[in-house]
Amino acid sequence: MRTIVYIDGFNLYFRMLQKRPDLKWVNPKLLSEQALRPENQVIQVRYYTARVSARVDPTAPSRQQVYFNALDTVPEVLIHQGTFLATKKFAGLVHPPQFRPQLPAQLPQPWPAVVKVHKTEEKGSDVNLASHLLLDAFRDNFDVAAVLSADSDLIEPIRIATQELGKVVGLLSPVAVPNPDLAAASSFVRRLSIGHLTAAQFPNPLTLADGTQIHKPANWV
């Protein structure tokens, strides 16, 4: 069965990889094949991400580029990049109870009601994933689709593909208990495991098409 897999890269990262750096060197196509059945011929993997910022970690962009270079060695993997929106916003300030002095009711509180914070938001991945899923469904580009995400924003596009277009769209869940509405809209649910990730790692070092070798970032080892 022709199968296309749609991977929300940041959802995978925050749900399964952030605290397991040794597993970040993952091959998305192999991961998809580990999670799906043998009859699923993975003809394409659409991987949704964005360029990370150097504001917090100056070395993060270079590590990400090494990973992108690794992804480029897999012909079936397409990288779709959204953007990061970095802004400074005011947010309501909540003090932990131990920092709140007990003042007489008539006296003003000695702290401001708001603070200004740095806010970084990834924009575009969920919209891009939903758009490509529906476009591929309309064009009959797959027999089976699988969406790797735990984002409830994808309930409606999956529901349209399965219920309105009659397509088989499964959920590859990076969490133990997926959103019930997301699971209900999907044709099937497979739980991703640490074993799947472990079995889907790129070799280290990895040889590029021109013969150059790249290595897994040192702090991922």
Side-chain angles (χ1 to χ4, degrees):
M1 295 183 292
R2 299 171 304 148
T3 304
I4 298 180
V5 181
Y6 305 79
I7 297 179
D8 181 340
F10 284 103
N11 211 281
L12 173 62
Y13 174 80
F14 285 112
R15 299 290 186 170
M16 299 191 76
L17 298 176
Q18 186 177 26
K19 296 181 180 179
R20 301 180 181 93
D22 57 309
L23 297 179
K24 291 179 181 179
W25 196 234
V26 61
N27 181 329
K29 181 173 184 284
L30 286 181
L31 178 63
S32 303
E33 292 171 341
Q34 289 289 326
L36 295 169
R37 293 179 176 173
E39 59 265 30
N40 292 109
Q41 180 190 1
V42 179
I43 61 172
Q44 192 171 82
V45 177
R46 293 184 180 270
Y47 186 86
Y48 299 87
T49 186
R51 291 278 179 181
V52 297
S53 168
R55 182 175 63 84
V56 176
D57 181 354
T59 65
S62 61
R63 291 197 301 272
Q64 186 185 48
Q65 184 57 56
V66 171
Y67 184 58
F68 284 171
N69 293 343
L71 294 182
D72 285 340
T73 67
V74 186
E76 294 85 358
V77 174
L78 295 179
I79 302 174
H80 301 279
Q81 292 195 37
T83 58
F84 272 112
L85 178 64
T87 57
K88 295 179 181 179
K89 293 187 176 182
F90 284 102
L93 180 63
V94 178
H95 285 275
Q98 62 268 30
F99 295 123
R100 295 177 180 171
Q102 299 299 313
L103 299 179
Q106 69 272 19
L107 294 180
Q109 299 298 321
W111 53 78
V114 296
V115 291
K116 201 170 195 178
V117 296
H118 286 283
K119 187 170 184 180
T120 304
E121 299 174 280
E122 191 275 324
K123 310 292 284 187
S125 285
D126 52 352
V127 174
N128 291 341
L129 193 159
S131 300
H132 291 146
L133 171 65
L134 291 176
L135 182 62
D136 287 336
F138 278 119
R139 290 179 171 175
D140 193 31
N141 287 340
F142 60 76
D143 302 313
V144 176
V147 176
L148 196 168
S149 182
D151 191 342
S152 60
D153 288 343
L154 298 174
I155 293 171
E156 186 63 4
I158 291 176
R159 186 200 66 79
I160 291 172
T162 56
Q163 298 181 20
E164 305 296 331
L165 302 178
K167 286 293 188 178
V168 176
V169 181
L171 178 68
L172 302 182
S173 177
V175 295
V177 182
N179 178 288
D181 292 329
L182 188 60
S186 305
S187 305
F188 61 86
V189 178
R190 300 279 164 74
R191 167 75 169 101
L192 285 179
S193 70
I194 300 305
H196 292 142
L197 290 166
T198 302
Q201 297 293 299
F202 281 112
N204 184 35
L206 174 64
T207 303
L208 304 182
D210 63 1
T212 303
Q213 288 191 330
I214 59 174
H215 293 261
K216 181 178 181 177
N219 60 352
W220 292 5
V221 176

